[in-house]
Amino acid sequence: MKPGKFDATVLTLGFAFLYIPIIILVIYSFNDSKLVTVWGGFSLKWYSQMWSNDGLMNAGWVTLRVGLLSASLGTVLGTLTALALVRFNKFPGRLLFSGMVYAPLVMPEVITGLSLLLLFVAIGLDRSLLTVTIAHTTFTMCYVAIVVQSRLLTFDRSLEEAALDLGCPPVKTFFKITLPLILPAVISGWMLAFTLSLDDLVIASFTTGPGATTLPIKIYSQVRLGVTPEINAVCSILIAIVTVGVIIASITTKRHELQRQRDEHFAAAAP
């Protein structure tokens, strides 16, 4: 078998293994039958019943709030962390700081969740929406830092130096020059953080409290009693949200890249 055909076969099998179960889940969310494995015809009644399920809706609203808050906070902190690691190569404790940033990436989620739980208990902070948001911000900012750091490593600092030479203050230089150029990486980091927050189950189970049950925890608790078509409908909506987010992030990144290429072309053509 030729290498090209072998690569195509492996790629096809890999995508099939990943996405066929998701496609089946989405298809059976439109199943009219109560049995999730028996097709009973096309119907939207489970989506209607899902919207009238207060437990699922409350959990979905909590998940959305936690995702938006933690992704936004994680993006800000992760971007600042990336700037510190790239722009300040030598400062006391840099090795320890970088190790603390990357630690949640390789640490098991059980350890992270248990550590945060012990921290909240030690400081007397009751588990609630706040603790879940703090926990998600803690591990999502690491991913944002890596994404933004990779963009800053290839950043042309001569643009910043030119702005500073012309009298632009450092803060204004960051918002007018640096941030627009690294914005695709920042947006990608935010989308990654938001997706990770939506998907998290282990850390949230350690840090959640009464009235702050996230949708993954709610789904897991119901699945243990048996999968219902409502669960398929909820999961299908989550898949749609993530898919739309990825498409928007890809389009935004492509537009910024095209704009950057145009600017570089005009700058090179200028006398």
Side-chain angles (χ1 to χ4, degrees):
M1 185 179 291
K2 295 182 179 180
K5 292 183 179 180
F6 176 76
D7 294 340
T9 302
V10 172
L11 185 63
T12 302
L13 292 176
F15 277 114
F17 178 77
L18 290 174
Y19 293 108
I20 286 180
I22 297 177
I23 294 174
I24 293 175
L25 183 147
V26 174
I27 291 175
Y28 273 91
S29 69
F30 299 99
N31 186 13
D32 185 66
S33 174
K34 291 184 178 181
L35 301 176
V36 295
T37 58
V38 177
W39 181 256
F42 181 85
S43 176
L44 295 174
K45 69 178 183 179
W46 301 116
Y47 286 89
S48 176
Q49 292 188 16
M50 177 199 67
W51 291 113
S52 61
N53 190 322
D54 294 336
L56 287 176
M57 290 299 100
N58 291 334
W61 175 236
V62 169
T63 301
L64 184 61
R65 284 188 293 173
V66 171
L68 293 174
L69 289 173
S70 62
S72 301
L73 292 174
T75 300
V76 173
L77 296 175
T79 302
L80 295 177
T81 300
L83 285 171
L85 291 174
V86 174
R87 299 298 172 83
F88 305 101
N89 293 325
K90 297 181 180 180
F91 60 87
R94 185 185 187 280
L95 182 61
L96 177 62
F97 177 72
S98 60
M100 294 175 64
V101 171
Y102 300 138
L105 299 175
V106 296
M107 188 177 299
E109 290 186 347
V110 174
I111 303 299
T112 303
L114 181 60
S115 301
L116 290 169
L117 173 61
L118 295 177
L119 173 64
F120 296 145
V121 172
I123 63 178
L125 184 61
D126 294 333
R127 287 181 292 172
S128 61
L129 183 68
L130 176 61
T131 57
V132 180
T133 303
I134 294 174
H136 283 193
T137 303
T138 301
F139 78 90
T140 56
M141 65 170 287
C142 309
Y143 294 89
V144 177
I146 290 179
V147 174
V148 177
Q149 185 180 4
S150 64
R151 176 65 183 91
L152 288 172
L153 290 173
T154 59
F155 184 80
D156 186 6
R157 297 197 64 181
S158 62
L159 300 173
E160 293 179 332
E161 295 172 356
L164 293 172
D165 291 341
L166 293 174
C168 185
V171 176
K172 188 175 182 180
T173 299
F174 173 77
F175 285 103
K176 292 292 185 179
I177 303 297
T178 308
L179 185 59
L181 292 176
I182 66 172
L183 189 60
V186 174
I187 294 175
S188 299
W190 189 93
M191 289 300 307
L192 179 59
F194 182 70
T195 303
L196 291 172
S197 178
L198 289 181
D199 180 64
D200 177 66
L201 171 65
V202 178
I203 296 178
S205 64
F206 281 96
T207 58
T208 190
T213 302
T214 61
L215 192 57
I217 295 177
K218 185 69 175 179
I219 292 175
Y220 178 72
S221 63
Q222 291 193 4
V223 165
R224 288 186 299 175
L225 302 176
V227 180
T228 64
E230 290 182 0
I231 300 299
N232 290 344
V234 173
C235 293
S236 299
I237 291 179
L238 286 177
I239 293 171
I241 292 174
V242 173
T243 302
V244 171
V246 170
I247 293 174
I248 293 175
S250 300
I251 294 175
T252 303
T253 302
K254 186 176 182 179
R255 286 182 177 178
H256 278 279
E257 183 65 22
L258 292 175
Q259 184 63 39
R260 184 183 65 82
Q261 293 177 359
R262 293 194 193 99
D263 294 341
E264 291 179 353
H265 176 73
F266 290 146

